[in-house]
Amino acid sequence: MWFKNLRAYRLTKEFALTAEKLHELLEPHAFVPCGSQDAARYGWVPPLGRHGSELVHAANGYFMVCAKKQEKVIPAAVVNEKVEELAQAISAKEARQVGRKERQNLKDEVLLEMRPKAFARSRLQYAYIAPKDGWVVLDASSASAAEELLENLREAISSLAVVPLSAKNLPQQTMTHWLHAPEAPAQFEFGHECELRDPKDSGSVIRCKNQDLCAEEIHNHLVAGMQVHKLGLTWRGGIEFLVDDQLSLKRLKFGDELIEKSDSIDAENAAQRFDADFSVMTLEISALLNDLLSAFGGANTETASVEEIVARASRAEAEQVAKEVEEVVF
C-alpha cells in the first residue's frame, strides 16, 4: 500500500462527502471483470482487498480509494501475422491486392475472434482524498493514469473540482538554482540522480544516475545553460524520491524508520495493519508536500488553465507511449 509514485491535485472546492456517502456513491461503479468481448473494464474495489468490503478506507480524516482496471491484451505480432495470412489468402483466391480499409476490417474480425481467449491483465491504483489539506493524492506514474482515475471518480460522485498541484516558482529554474549553488533547500538533501535538458534544444538530454550531483562535471553542464528537469532528493532523511518539473514524485522509497514506526503500532489483523500503514504514510506525505511547496516558493493557488493541464498531460502521455511494450490492448 505504500505509494511508489505521487501526483497531487489541489481541491478548488470543499470536499464535503463523508466516508459512508463516498462508499455509497462508488458502489454502483464497483469493478466487474471483463466479459468475453469486453475490451476493458474499470471500477472500484475495497482498498483492503479480500480483507475488507468497504470501497472507502478512512483514517485521520483521509479517505483511501482503490480503482481496478482490467484489459484484454493481444500481442500486436500475433494480430498482424493472422491478418497477413488472411490477406494473402484473399489475394491468391481473387487475384487482387487487399486494401488498407479491408485490412482494418480483417483486423477487427481477428480481434473479435481472439478477444474471448485473450489474457486479461489487471492493475490496481490507489488514491486518497485529504479534505482538510485540500488535496487528492494518487499513486500514479503518469498523468494519463491519474486523469483516468480522477475522471472515473468525478463520474461516480458527480463533481470533483481539482487542478494539478503547482508552485509559485518554476520548478526547472528552481532546481537548476539549487544544483548550481550547490545547496539543497531546507529539510532536503541531494540524491544521486538528475536529468538535464537544454532549453534551446529539446532533444538534448543528459541523465545522471548514481552520481555526485555536486561534481564539477554536472556544474559545467549547468554553466553551459542546461536546466534541471528531474532531481533526486531525500526529505528529512526518511523519504527518497525523484521530483520532476511538474512536481510529480517517482520512485518513492520510505526509510526503515518510517516502516518501523508503522510496525510498532499494535495490529491484530490485516485491516488494522493497513490502517497503521495508511495513517503513517498520509501524515508523512502531508508534511513532505508542505515542505516541497515551500522549497518551490509556496503553492500557486491560481487555477491552472485548461491549456496548461492538457499540456502537462500530453507531455506525460508522450513519455508513457515511448516506454510501452509492443502490444495491442483491447
Side-chain angles (χ1 to χ4, degrees):
M1 186 277 302
W2 295 87
F3 281 15
K4 295 180 175 61
N5 303 282
L6 194 153
R7 286 181 180 269
Y9 291 74
R10 179 171 58 85
L11 289 163
T12 59
K13 294 182 180 179
E14 180 184 4
F15 189 87
L17 297 177
T18 63
E20 293 76 14
K21 183 60 177 178
L22 181 56
H23 167 86
E24 181 182 327
L25 293 173
L26 294 180
E27 203 166 20
H29 304 271
F31 174 77
V32 177
C34 286
S36 62
Q37 287 298 333
D38 285 324
R41 284 286 184 91
Y42 195 100
W44 303 99
V45 296
L48 286 169
R50 62 185 179 85
H51 299 291
S53 58
E54 297 296 312
L55 297 177
V56 180
H57 183 83
N60 297 327
Y62 297 101
F63 304 149
M64 174 76 87
V65 295
C66 181
K68 183 174 184 177
K69 183 175 184 178
Q70 189 175 80
E71 299 170 304
K72 292 290 185 68
V73 181
I74 306 174
V78 175
V79 176
N80 294 336
E81 182 178 357
K82 184 63 176 179
V83 170
E84 186 62 29
E85 290 177 2
L86 294 174
Q88 290 181 5
I90 293 174
S91 295
K93 182 179 180 180
E94 302 180 9
R96 64 179 179 84
Q97 293 294 321
V98 177
R100 180 180 299 179
K101 184 176 180 180
E102 189 174 2
R103 280 180 175 271
Q104 182 59 50
N105 291 335
L106 290 174
K107 184 177 181 180
D108 292 340
E109 292 175 6
V110 169
L111 290 171
L112 192 65
E113 178 184 348
M114 290 184 171
R115 193 172 291 146
K117 302 177 182 179
F119 172 72
R121 179 178 62 185
S122 300
R123 64 176 175 84
L124 298 176
Q125 186 172 4
Y126 292 89
Y128 70 84
I129 303 165
K132 59 184 179 182
D133 296 331
W135 297 331
V136 177
V137 181
L138 299 88
D139 184 356
S141 59
S142 69
S144 58
E147 289 296 335
E148 183 177 38
L149 185 146
L150 292 173
E151 287 174 7
N152 280 273
L153 184 57
R154 189 177 292 113
E155 179 183 353
I157 67 177
S158 299
S159 176
L160 183 67
V162 296
V163 294
L165 196 66
S166 62
K168 292 180 180 179
N169 298 335
L170 288 176
Q172 60 267 37
Q173 293 182 2
T174 303
M175 291 188 292
T176 302
H177 173 73
W178 294 343
L179 210 52
H180 191 278
E183 184 178 356
Q187 309 297 341
F188 294 90
E189 297 176 0
F190 290 132
H192 302 282
E193 182 176 356
C194 71
E195 179 178 292
L196 310 179
R197 292 180 178 268
D198 188 340
K200 299 178 182 178
D201 181 4
S202 59
S204 181
V205 181
I206 296 176
R207 295 182 177 89
C208 305
K209 291 187 177 182
N210 301 319
Q211 299 289 324
D212 177 3
L213 301 187
C214 298
E216 183 178 357
E217 181 181 1
I218 293 178
H219 179 76
N220 290 338
H221 287 304
L222 299 177
V223 171
M226 300 199 79
Q227 294 185 340
V228 180
H229 281 250
K230 295 180 182 179
L231 181 64
L233 293 171
T234 299
W235 175 71
R236 298 185 185 179
I239 302 179
E240 299 177 13
F241 58 89
L242 184 72
V243 59
D244 65 16
D245 54 7
Q246 302 302 313
L247 294 186
S248 67
L249 310 186
K250 295 185 178 181
R251 296 199 285 279
L252 261 71
K253 183 179 179 182
F254 292 87
D256 292 338
E257 289 186 7
L258 294 180
I259 302 299
E260 291 172 1
K261 181 180 178 181
S262 176
D263 290 343
S264 67
I265 300 174
D266 292 334
E268 297 180 357
N269 51 48
Q272 292 181 5
R273 171 49 50 207
F274 185 97
D275 192 65
D277 291 345
F278 180 43
S279 297
V280 171
M281 185 188 73
T282 50
L283 290 174
E284 293 297 325
I285 288 179
S286 178
L288 166 60
L289 288 176
N290 282 326
D291 283 348
L292 190 67
L293 285 172
S294 295
F296 284 100
N300 178 12
T301 56
E302 295 181 2
T303 302
S305 67
V306 172
E307 290 78 8
E308 289 174 328
I309 296 174
V310 171
R312 290 170 183 166
S314 298
R315 284 194 292 271
E317 185 68 22
E319 294 176 359
Q320 184 72 10
V321 170
K323 297 177 182 178
E324 286 182 352
V325 178
E326 184 180 356
E327 60 185 8
V328 181
V329 180
F330 294 94

